[in-house]
Amino acid sequence: MRIALWQAAGQAAGQPAGQSQERGERLAALRSAALEAAAQGARLLLAPELGLVGEVAPRELAALAEPSDGEGPRAVGRIAAEAGLAILIGYPERCTGRIYSAALLVDRHGHSLASYRRTHVRPEEEQLVARGQWLTIVPFEGRRLGLLLGYDLAFPEAARGLVLSGADLLVAAGGGSWGDAHLLEVLLPARALENGVPLAWASHATGDGAAIPPSRVLGADGRPLVRLAEAPAVAVADLPPAAAAIDLRDRRPQLYQRLAMVDAVAGRAASLI
């Protein structure tokens, strides 16, 4: 399967933090990227976290958030149908009074396949962004996509849980919730290698010294199949056929279960203080 990455334009020079590009500009850029990716034979275009609104501060998300069937997501569906390829893009979702950092996946006909909500939230976001409550796997083109968003990559359990549930490709819309480029440069290949599956990561273009590493596709061995420079761009990579699942029989889940039980007990104790 051929996959494309859209490294969207980051915050414009001189633009105050927390202000996004106009919606029309973002959609026009997404449409251009989708048509370019389709012309190169891609079946899926992966865009960054908050790719639909741009780089914004958490406090700005409430003003930009919309339902999963809002005008922004519907516009993404129209672009996917026009280009004839699937699109995964991050956006701020509003649902039942809460704001989530979500990833919308639409097929090449523009039909919604999933809206995954980021399950891990940084401490400074806790009053502004709600945690998603489930992991998401989507069958696609003979593969099983495990969906991740930005800060999810900091925790090995999310990627491992997806692979144990049958995901054979990890797709991560990145950028908006990350703040340590050096750490992520280590974790991206680690998440692919330790689980034995390819990993695709799309981020905003940020320039040298920024907190978000450039977009890339990594093979199951953690080595890059394609890596973009810092500038806004579209790139494609051909994924090898899905391989046999990595042998995880040497795991000792009974030990890890005890760790989860300790977390639960600690949480109950904290609630009594």
Side-chain angles (χ1 to χ4, degrees):
M1 182 177 76
R2 178 167 288 183
I3 186 173
L5 304 175
W6 177 39
Q7 186 158 271
Q11 184 173 300
Q15 183 180 8
Q19 292 186 10
S20 67
Q21 289 178 292
E22 290 293 331
R23 170 66 63 81
E25 295 178 20
R26 298 293 296 187
L27 289 174
L30 173 61
R31 178 179 180 271
S32 177
L35 292 173
E36 180 180 346
Q40 296 185 60
R43 306 295 291 174
L44 170 67
L45 175 65
L46 176 60
E49 182 177 14
L50 301 180
L52 191 55
V53 298
E55 293 183 286
V56 295
R59 65 180 180 276
E60 303 292 333
L61 291 179
L64 297 168
E66 57 187 318
S68 59
D69 60 352
E71 177 52 36
R74 291 201 302 271
V76 173
R78 292 192 293 269
I79 291 171
E82 178 186 359
L85 85 170
I87 297 175
L88 176 71
I89 187 168
Y91 74 108
E93 181 192 6
R94 181 186 298 278
C95 182
T96 62
R98 294 182 176 89
I99 306 299
Y100 299 91
S101 178
L104 174 72
L105 176 61
V106 297
D107 67 16
R108 63 187 179 90
H109 304 293
H111 301 147
S112 177
L113 299 178
S115 184
Y116 165 69
R117 297 164 177 168
R118 177 155 53 90
T119 51
H120 296 82
V121 173
R122 294 174 298 169
E124 59 267 32
E125 296 178 294
E126 287 183 346
Q127 302 303 314
L128 303 166
V129 180
R131 292 180 174 86
Q133 298 301 316
W134 59 82
L135 298 174
T136 299
I137 295 177
V138 182
F140 178 81
E141 299 278 339
R143 306 297 290 251
R144 290 177 59 83
L145 310 184
L147 309 187
L148 295 165
L149 275 165
Y151 192 51
D152 289 335
L153 269 297
F155 304 92
E157 294 88 354
R160 176 57 57 85
L162 288 167
V163 172
L164 288 174
S165 297
D168 56 33
L169 170 61
L170 298 174
V171 287
S177 61
W178 200 269
D180 190 328
H182 170 71
L183 181 60
L184 197 52
E185 288 285 1
V186 175
L187 292 184
L188 284 171
R191 296 293 172 258
L193 178 61
E194 69 191 1
N195 291 298
V197 299
L199 185 151
W201 159 271
S203 68
H204 291 96
T206 54
D208 293 334
I212 307 169
S215 307
R216 78 280 311 268
V217 178
L218 303 170
D221 58 1
R223 295 177 177 148
L225 301 177
V226 65
R227 177 188 171 108
L228 279 72
E230 286 79 8
V234 173
V236 299
D238 290 314
L239 297 173
I246 189 172
D247 189 351
L248 299 174
R249 288 176 296 181
D250 291 336
R251 293 168 59 251
R252 298 185 62 193
Q254 66 276 14
L255 296 179
Y256 320 143
Q257 184 178 19
R258 292 173 191 169
L259 292 176
M261 292 171 63
V262 168
D263 286 344
V265 170
R268 286 198 298 271
S271 68
L272 297 176
I273 295 175

